[in-house]
Amino acid sequence: MLAACQQKQTSAFDLIFLGTGTSGSVPNISCLTAPPEEEPCQTCLSTLTPEGKKNIRRNTSAIVRVDAVGGKVYVATFDLHTASIRRLIIVYLHLLRTILIDTGKNFQAAALEWFPKYGLRRIDAVLLTHGHADAINGLDDLRAWTLNSAIQPYIDLYVSQATLDEVKRAFPYLVSKEFASGGGDVPAFKWHIIDAGVPFEIEGTGIQVLPFCVHHGRIFSTPDVPNQAQSITLYTPPPTLPSTPTRSGMSTLADKVTPYISYGFLIQGSFIYISDVSFIPDETWALLEESRKCNGQPSIAVVDCLRLTKHTSHFGLREAISTARRIGAVRSYCVGFEHVVSHASYEKIFGAVGGQDDKDRLTVTEQEGIGMIEPGDPIWIRPAYDGLQVTVLEGGIVKDNGY
């Protein structure tokens, strides 16, 4: 049996978007502090008003809340005459389990806003897609959950070996407490190494996850990084200028283009999450297509879309729509947006993929976006926004609190 067929589709779950923006988030400080002679950025400036709330985009992150196994109890019936057990029944208990995907640079702000609103508290597992700052820099904030067991004694983290290595380099004390300093207060984690194409169960929950590889841009250099056992204070990193590496600007630039790998996740055979992607390999498409044969139509797909045009490390509009069409979920939501296009404009552009016609009331940007849509089957696809809740009901019906 193939890995994708080892999943069991859940009957119901919730998806809550904690963040839907790119690594720099929205608004941009450069836009909010721009001098009068510069053209104003309407998307960023709108975030200063209640009407622009949906244009506030923190680092992409999500909560999946699943009704899953929470343990079992044994119920016995007795024969009163013989005082013996007549029948023993196992009763499985179900609890709402909370899975967090990525903890970016503004995770704490997102948690403070959305955890109380949606009644979230305990985190049963964290899935990390990759080791960039917008996916891991909020890990330290999880000490609020585990310090003195404030909410729970530890948190289970599921990561690739490559991502764990990047966490070790960036935050050695999160992996080995002997590197802690100051008061020594650090979060408590239980690390689990996962491999692409190998399904796993989130410990003690029955929730099935299948990680898979996607490309997220490329690796620009192969600097010699010291072993973590060596003193980290003795290592001076190479300069990081220019901000976008160029062949002339970095002597260590790899001659061979090596893709940077990020993980996507198939959860319970029903929910596909691809937040940081520039290319999907054939072997990953084979897994997703096999899952559809075994588990039926996916309920939700989350797909990366940085901007209208493609980027080195992210999908643009065409790639996002093409991927959503090929996945064929009941509903697809896009994430990872930069600041140029507003939420309202993305609503019109993506709405056109499903057949909505607003041609008489379109801005230049909206006309450009709709003009980029390639022929194909109409699908339901919309821009996600921070705080949007999507619910999959019994029978696979999908609803949300925003559309």
Side-chain angles (χ1 to χ4, degrees):
M1 182 180 293
L2 295 178
C5 291
Q6 296 174 355
Q7 309 257 327
K8 289 186 178 179
Q9 193 165 3
T10 185
S11 57
F13 65 89
D14 280 343
L15 169 66
I16 300 166
F17 291 95
L18 300 184
T20 56
T22 186
S23 57
S25 306
V26 180
N28 286 2
I29 187 64
S30 60
C31 296
L32 296 186
T33 60
E37 62 269 19
E38 289 190 8
E39 183 178 351
C41 173
Q42 299 301 331
T43 301
C44 289
L45 290 175
S46 74
T47 64
L48 302 176
T49 69
E51 293 75 22
K53 173 69 174 174
K54 292 179 181 178
N55 288 325
I56 297 176
R57 301 161 178 162
R58 297 187 178 108
N59 295 157
T60 293
S61 175
I63 287 285
V64 186
R65 190 163 51 181
V66 184
D67 183 8
V69 174
K72 59 186 178 182
V73 296
Y74 295 91
V75 179
T77 58
F78 288 86
D79 188 315
L80 296 178
H81 298 290
T82 62
S84 61
I85 296 176
R86 298 178 59 187
R87 189 178 182 186
L88 188 64
I89 303 172
I90 300 176
V91 177
Y92 289 92
L93 304 177
H94 283 255
L95 298 172
L96 283 176
R97 299 290 192 170
T98 298
I99 305 166
L100 169 63
I101 305 178
D102 285 341
T103 57
K105 295 178 288 183
N106 34 38
F107 164 71
Q108 184 190 36
L112 290 174
E113 181 170 7
W114 304 119
F115 269 55
K117 176 179 174 64
Y118 287 112
L120 301 168
R121 181 172 167 83
R122 178 184 171 88
I123 298 173
D124 294 286
V126 175
L127 309 180
L128 295 181
T129 57
H130 64 300
H132 285 167
D134 58 341
I136 69 170
N137 271 25
L139 285 173
D140 185 79
D141 293 326
L142 294 175
R143 71 169 71 184
W145 276 256
T146 65
L147 195 61
N148 299 319
S149 295
I151 295 176
Q152 57 198 91
Y154 64 90
I155 297 175
D156 288 284
L157 269 73
Y158 295 83
V159 301
S160 68
Q161 183 62 57
T163 296
L164 180 61
D165 290 343
E166 293 191 59
V167 174
K168 285 180 182 179
R169 287 195 291 268
F171 307 106
Y173 67 93
L174 292 180
V175 180
S176 301
K177 290 188 177 181
E178 62 266 27
F179 289 109
S181 58
D185 293 336
V186 298
F189 297 143
K190 183 177 180 180
W191 295 92
H192 305 263
I193 303 301
I194 58 176
D195 293 311
V198 180
F200 65 91
E201 177 187 330
I202 293 177
E203 198 166 90
T205 67
I207 298 171
Q208 295 292 317
V209 180
L210 176 64
F212 52 83
C213 284
V214 297
H215 296 184
H216 179 31
R218 56 167 293 182
I219 296 173
F220 282 93
S221 63
T222 54
D224 293 328
V225 178
N227 186 289
Q228 193 59 62
Q230 300 174 15
S231 173
I232 59 174
T233 60
L234 299 179
Y235 176 59
T236 301
T240 57
L241 295 176
S243 58
T244 298
T246 62
R247 185 168 295 277
S248 61
M250 295 186 68
S251 60
T252 56
L253 189 69
D255 292 329
K256 180 181 178 181
V257 174
T258 302
Y260 181 85
I261 299 299
S262 181
Y263 273 9
F265 298 107
L266 171 64
I267 300 176
Q268 295 289 78
S270 180
F271 170 46
I272 296 172
Y273 186 88
I274 312 175
S275 61
D276 293 84
V277 57
S278 55
F279 176 76
I280 300 178
D282 290 342
E283 55 268 28
T284 291
W285 277 120
L287 282 175
L288 297 179
E289 288 164 1
E290 187 63 32
S291 171
R292 178 160 184 144
K293 291 178 183 177
C294 298
N295 303 304
Q297 183 182 21
S299 300
I300 300 173
V302 172
V303 181
D304 182 21
C305 181
L306 176 69
R307 59 192 189 188
L308 297 186
T309 57
K310 184 172 171 52
H311 183 268
T312 303
S313 56
H314 291 279
F315 277 171
L317 181 69
R318 285 196 181 106
E319 295 78 27
I321 293 171
S322 173
T323 298
R325 280 174 168 159
R326 186 167 176 179
I327 289 173
V330 176
R331 289 194 178 190
S332 296
Y333 296 88
C334 285
V335 295
F337 303 110
E338 63 168 22
H339 70 118
V340 174
V341 182
S342 71
H343 177 83
S345 290
Y346 271 126
E347 274 198 56
K348 293 182 180 180
I349 293 168
F350 284 117
V353 182
Q356 290 186 6
D357 186 0
D358 290 314
K359 292 182 179 179
D360 294 335
R361 301 183 302 277
L362 296 178
T363 66
V364 173
T365 298
E366 291 159 2
Q367 291 174 16
E368 179 186 359
I370 291 176
M372 296 174 67
I373 300 172
E374 297 176 332
D377 294 334
I379 59 170
W380 197 102
I381 182 171
R382 295 293 186 276
Y385 58 87
D386 293 19
L388 176 67
Q389 180 185 30
V390 185
T391 300
V392 178
L393 304 172
E394 296 282 349
I397 298 173
V398 184
K399 295 184 177 181
D400 62 49
N401 63 355
Y403 294 107

